[in-house]
Amino acid sequence: MALSYIWSGFFLVGFAAALAQWLFMGDVEVFKRIIDGTFSSAKVAVMDIALPLAGVMTLWLGLLNIGERAGAIGVVARLISPFFSRIFPEVPKDHPASGHMVMNFSANFLGLDNAATPFGLKAMDSLQSLNPNKEEASNAQIMFLVLQTSGLTLIPISIIAQRAVLGARDPSDVFLPILIATYVATLVALVSVSVKQRINLWDRVIVGWVGGISAVIGGMVWYFVNYLSRAEIELFSKVASNLVLASIIAAFLIGALRKRVNIFDAFIDGAKGGIQTSLTIMPYLVGMLVAISVLRNSGVLSFIVSGFTWTFSQLGWNTDFTPALPTALMKPISGSGARAMMIDAMQTYGVDSFVGRLSSVLQGATDTTFYIIALYFGAVGIKRARYAIGYGLLADLTGVLASVWVAYLFFH
C-alpha cells in the first residue's frame, strides 16, 4: 500500500507542479514534456533495460545455480555457523532456526536472492516457534531482521547487470565500494542491536570475526587514502573486482566438477530464471521510471535535488553527491523504486559519472527495510516490531553515509 501512495504521489505532485508552472510562469510546453517523457521512459524501461537485462541475468543466474549445486551455500554456512551461535544466544545450537538463518544469510551473501527468501521465511517461522509472545518480535527475530536490512552481499549481480546494460566501461568497478559500504552498515547494525540486547561482543569468536574483517577492510582503506592516487584506487577497484568475480566463477566450476555435477544442465536450470526475472521486473520498471519521469519533467526532482544542494552547501560541504540522494531516500521503502531512481540517475548524469556510480553504491549498500519487515513479520503474524524499524533505519543511514564517503574515495 505504501508503494501505491508513493507512485500515485509522484504523478499528482508532478502534475500539480506542471499546472503551477503553466498558470504562474506561462510555461505552455510543460505538459507536452511530461507526456512525451512518459512514452519515452516506458520505451526505455522495456527496450533498453528490461530486455537487455535478461541476457545478463540469464548468465549469472545460471552460474550461481552451478555454485549452489556445488555446495557453495553449505561451505559458507559451515564457516559462519560458530559466529551465529554467539549473536543469537536465545536460539538453541541444534535448533532448525540456526540452520535456516545461516542458509538465508549465505544465499544473500552470494547474491542468490531466489534461494534466500524461502530460507528467510523458514528461518522466521522457526524463530517464531521459540517466541513466547507470538504477536511481539523476539530479540532473535529483531537481530535477524536488522541484519537483513543492512543488505550484506558479496556479489551485487543486478547492479552490475544494470550498469552493463547501460554501457558502463567497467560494470563491476562499483563492486569493492559496495562491499565496503554494506559491510559498514552491517557492522553498525550488528553492534547496535548487540548492545541493545546485551550480547557479549567481547566473545573471542565475535571478536575474531568482526575484528578480522574490519582490520582487513580498514587496512585496505587506510592504504588507499595514504599511498594511492584516485586513478590508482579506481584501477585497483577494477582489477580486484573482476579478479574476485572471476575467482568465484572458477571456484563454482571446480566445486561442481569435484561433486560430479552436470554443469551444463545446472547452468540451464538456473539460467531459465533470467528471462522470468526480466519479465517480472518489467512492469515495475515501466511504472516507476514513468512516475520519476513525471517528477523530472515537471521540475519537482530538480527542486528536491536543489534543496539538498543548498542545505549541504550552507554547511560548507561538497555537494556533488546530492543528485544521487533520491536513490537513498527510496531504498528503505521500495527496492524497485530505488532501482528506478538509480537507473534515472545513470541515464541523466552518465553511467560512469560520479553520480551514476554513487547511485549504484547506494542501491547496493542496504536493503528495503520496510518491505523486509512487512514480509518477514507479516508471514508469522508479528504485530509489534519493538525497536526493529528504528535500528533497521539506523543501518540504512549508516549505509548511505558510508556509500557517499567510499564513492568520494574511489571515484571523485
Side-chain angles (χ1 to χ4, degrees):
M1 185 62 71
L3 187 57
S4 297
Y5 289 135
I6 292 171
W7 189 74
S8 302
F10 280 4
F11 278 98
L12 295 176
V13 170
F15 287 136
L19 183 62
Q21 292 180 60
W22 176 52
L23 292 175
F24 299 110
M25 301 175 62
D27 187 353
V28 297
E29 295 290 323
V30 62
F31 286 106
K32 183 179 185 301
R33 290 198 302 271
I34 287 176
I35 298 304
D36 288 348
T38 60
F39 289 119
S40 175
S41 296
K43 179 181 177 182
V44 166
V46 176
M47 302 302 296
D48 296 344
I49 297 175
L51 293 181
L53 183 63
V56 182
M57 292 300 293
T58 295
L59 169 65
W60 273 100
L61 289 177
L63 291 171
L64 288 171
N65 193 53
I66 293 173
E68 187 176 2
R69 294 194 185 182
I73 289 183
V75 170
V76 177
R78 287 193 297 273
L79 187 65
I80 66 178
S81 181
F83 174 71
F84 263 51
S85 66
R86 266 70 173 186
I87 63 174
F88 293 100
E90 298 175 356
V91 180
K93 191 172 183 179
D94 58 349
H95 194 274
S98 298
H100 295 148
M101 286 191 294
V102 169
M103 297 296 276
N104 168 260
F105 280 106
S106 300
N108 269 327
F109 187 67
L110 293 172
L112 301 171
D113 294 336
N114 292 334
T117 300
F119 284 138
L121 291 173
K122 189 65 178 175
M124 184 58 65
D125 186 60
S126 297
L127 290 172
Q128 184 72 345
S129 69
L130 298 170
N131 186 4
N133 188 343
K134 301 302 182 184
E135 294 189 352
E136 183 175 275
S138 67
N139 285 348
Q141 288 173 319
I142 292 174
M143 175 67 83
F144 178 65
L145 259 295
V146 174
L147 289 178
Q148 286 278 332
T149 64
S150 66
L152 183 62
T153 303
L154 175 63
I155 312 174
I157 300 170
S158 62
I159 296 173
I160 293 174
Q162 293 283 6
R163 289 179 53 76
V165 167
L166 293 174
R169 290 193 302 271
D170 187 350
S172 63
D173 60 4
V174 296
F175 167 82
L176 196 56
I178 289 175
L179 181 61
I180 294 173
T182 191
Y183 175 73
V184 173
T186 302
L187 180 62
V188 169
L190 172 64
V191 171
S192 61
V193 176
S194 294
V195 171
K196 176 72 174 178
Q197 296 183 358
R198 299 183 180 179
I199 293 173
N200 179 20
L201 289 172
W202 299 111
D203 181 279
R204 62 181 184 178
V205 174
I206 296 178
V207 170
W209 268 86
V210 175
I213 297 174
S214 300
V216 170
I217 292 179
M220 182 172 59
V221 172
W222 175 83
Y223 181 78
F224 289 165
V225 171
N226 289 280
Y227 293 101
L228 297 182
S229 65
R230 190 191 67 81
E232 290 171 328
I233 292 174
E234 188 171 336
L235 177 62
F236 177 87
S237 178
K238 291 179 180 179
V239 173
S241 299
N242 289 304
L243 180 61
V244 170
L245 291 175
S247 299
I248 290 172
I249 294 172
F252 285 172
L253 294 174
I254 293 171
L257 288 171
R258 289 187 60 188
K259 286 202 166 188
R260 300 182 183 278
V261 172
N262 188 324
I263 294 177
F264 191 70
D265 284 352
F267 175 84
I268 296 300
D269 288 343
K272 291 175 182 177
I275 301 295
Q276 185 58 49
T277 299
S278 181
L279 293 175
T280 299
I281 70 170
M282 190 182 297
Y284 295 96
L285 277 178
V286 171
M288 292 307 300
L289 284 179
V290 168
I292 292 168
S293 172
V294 171
L295 281 185
R296 180 172 296 284
N297 286 295
S298 67
V300 173
L301 198 56
S302 297
F303 179 77
I304 293 172
V305 171
S306 297
F308 281 122
T309 302
W310 182 86
T311 301
F312 291 116
S313 65
Q314 296 304 303
L315 298 173
W317 296 4
N318 180 287
T319 58
D320 292 348
F321 69 95
T322 55
L325 289 182
T327 302
L329 294 174
M330 183 61 69
K331 188 62 189 285
I333 303 169
S334 166
S336 59
R339 184 188 300 111
M341 287 290 189
M342 174 190 72
I343 292 170
D344 182 74
M346 288 193 288
Q347 289 180 319
T348 302
Y349 297 93
V351 66
D352 287 319
S353 67
F354 174 71
V355 173
R357 285 164 161 167
L358 173 56
S359 296
S360 300
V361 178
L362 287 168
Q363 174 72 359
T366 57
D367 215 326
T368 49
T369 297
F370 290 105
Y371 169 78
I372 288 175
I373 289 176
L375 175 65
Y376 283 80
F377 280 175
V380 295
I382 295 291
K383 296 180 180 179
R384 291 187 290 275
R386 298 171 66 198
Y387 50 88
I389 294 176
Y391 280 75
L393 293 177
L394 174 62
D396 291 340
L397 176 61
T398 303
V400 170
L401 296 175
S403 297
V404 173
W405 169 71
V406 79
Y408 271 93
L409 175 63
F410 278 82
F411 305 125
H412 198 271

